[in-house]
Amino acid sequence: MYQLFCDSNCELWHTTVKELGLNLIKMPYTVDDKEYFYDMGENTDFKGFFDKMRSGTVPKTSALNEFAYTEYFEPVLARGEDIYYVTFSHKMSGTFEAMKNVIAQLKQKYPEREIRFKDSKSISLGSGFVTYYAALKYKEGATMDELDAYLDGLIPHVGTYFVVEDLTYLYRGGRVSGVSKVVGNLLNIKPILHFDEEGRIININKVKGFKKALAELRAYMRDTGSELDKYKVFILQADNEQTANDFAKSLTDEFGELDIHIQPVGPVIGAHCGPGTIGLIFHCERK
């Protein structure tokens, strides 16, 4: 028997995490020198967080240390169960070096136990999409090998696209240059960002204005979307709920009935993308 783990950077809603029976690893963030661990929206003041960002507060995120990973993993191994962990993109954080070190240590201590992890090659609800369908397979009784095979087939077909309102936050994270940030904000230029096959964020387009940027997201779903009637469509919004609702309506107007879920961006991801961000996640022919 094994336990299925996810981390809070997959951003599935807290009720979904509980319904699916997932073991949650909470990722840290710091605001005004106070550390928090994201609880998947259960007691999160999203508006307060993004209001602080708009007023100039700079939240910070950090990697988990080896002690934290040990605290999550060892009790499961000690009671005789194995672990399968669906992670967010390994290209996005150095936290997985600590995780790998802990796994190596625990394998020596519990040689009869197995610990596997699967890189979802995405973050936020791109990773959540993978985690959600992994959990359904897990609840159906899939073995670790069967889950490996299923996710290897699914991950290349998860399209994750997003557009930010203000380039300042991407600049702080090293995603755009200072000149690009200044010029982009002055000219209302919006980069269209996407997770590639390796789990890296890449800039695939630049358009003028948020409305046109959302039209581009819709076009990517039109051009690459597949089996949209079979899989959920996720829309992310960072304190931009009305825009997200309007965007969802534009999708159903064009594509018909879809299983659309709109969710707020959490503080860990929000610290990097900033308020106003809109994201779109769907099943696609190929990333």
Side-chain angles (χ1 to χ4, degrees), residues 90-115:
H90 289 209
K91 298 293 184 182
M92 301 301 295
S93 175
T95 193
F96 297 111
E97 288 306 310
M99 179 199 73
K100 290 174 184 177
N101 289 338
V102 167
I103 289 174
Q105 294 164 18
L106 290 174
K107 282 186 173 180
Q108 289 185 339
K109 189 172 181 179
Y110 301 93
E112 72 284 4
R113 300 270 58 87
E114 188 166 6
I115 309 173

Side-chain angles (χ1 to χ4, degrees), residues 30-78:
T30 302
V31 182
D32 296 331
D33 297 321
K34 183 176 180 180
E35 187 176 52
Y36 302 85
F37 291 83
Y38 184 43
D39 63 2
M40 314 304 263
E42 187 167 7
N43 297 291
T44 308
D45 181 5
F46 295 99
K47 182 161 181 54
F49 175 81
F50 287 114
D51 281 348
K52 284 191 172 186
M53 287 192 74
R54 286 192 168 104
S55 67
T57 296
V58 181
K60 298 178 181 178
T61 62
S62 57
L64 286 181
N65 57 35
E66 293 185 12
F67 175 78
Y69 280 112
T70 302
E71 288 284 286
Y72 280 114
F73 291 156
E74 186 163 21
V76 176
L77 303 175

Side-chain angles (χ1 to χ4, degrees), residues 144-179:
M144 281 183 160
D145 288 340
E146 289 169 340
L147 193 54
D148 265 340
Y150 174 74
L151 294 182
D152 286 342
L154 178 65
I155 289 169
H157 298 281
V158 181
T160 306
Y161 298 83
F162 62 102
V163 58
V164 300
E165 186 175 71
D166 189 330
L167 291 169
T168 299
Y169 309 103
L170 289 178
Y171 167 67
R172 287 176 184 162
R175 299 297 173 188
V176 296
S177 70
V179 172

Side-chain angles (χ1 to χ4, degrees), residues 54 163-167 185 188 190 210 240 273-277:
R54 286 192 168 104
V163 58
V164 300
E165 186 175 71
D166 189 330
L167 291 169
N185 282 344
N188 198 26
K190 307 299 181 188
F210 211 79
N240 201 358
C273 67
T277 298

Side-chain angles (χ1 to χ4, degrees), residues 75-88:
V76 176
L77 303 175
R79 65 176 182 254
E81 296 179 293
D82 299 326
I83 290 170
Y84 194 110
Y85 173 21
V86 182
T87 77
F88 70 96

Side-chain angles (χ1 to χ4, degrees), residues 150-218:
Y150 174 74
L151 294 182
D152 286 342
L154 178 65
I155 289 169
H157 298 281
V158 181
T160 306
Y161 298 83
F162 62 102
V163 58
V164 300
E165 186 175 71
D166 189 330
L167 291 169
T168 299
Y169 309 103
L170 289 178
Y171 167 67
R172 287 176 184 162
R175 299 297 173 188
V176 296
S177 70
V179 172
S180 296
K181 181 201 74 163
V182 173
V183 173
N185 282 344
L186 286 174
L187 298 179
N188 198 26
I189 299 299
K190 307 299 181 188
I192 308 295
L193 301 163
H194 170 58
F195 277 86
D196 68 8
E197 295 89 345
E198 299 301 316
R200 296 169 298 199
I201 295 178
I202 58 173
N203 186 347
I204 56 174
N205 199 358
K206 295 177 183 177
V207 298
K208 189 169 184 178
F210 211 79
K211 184 177 290 187
K212 188 171 183 181
L214 294 182
E216 286 295 306
L217 295 190
R218 194 163 59 248

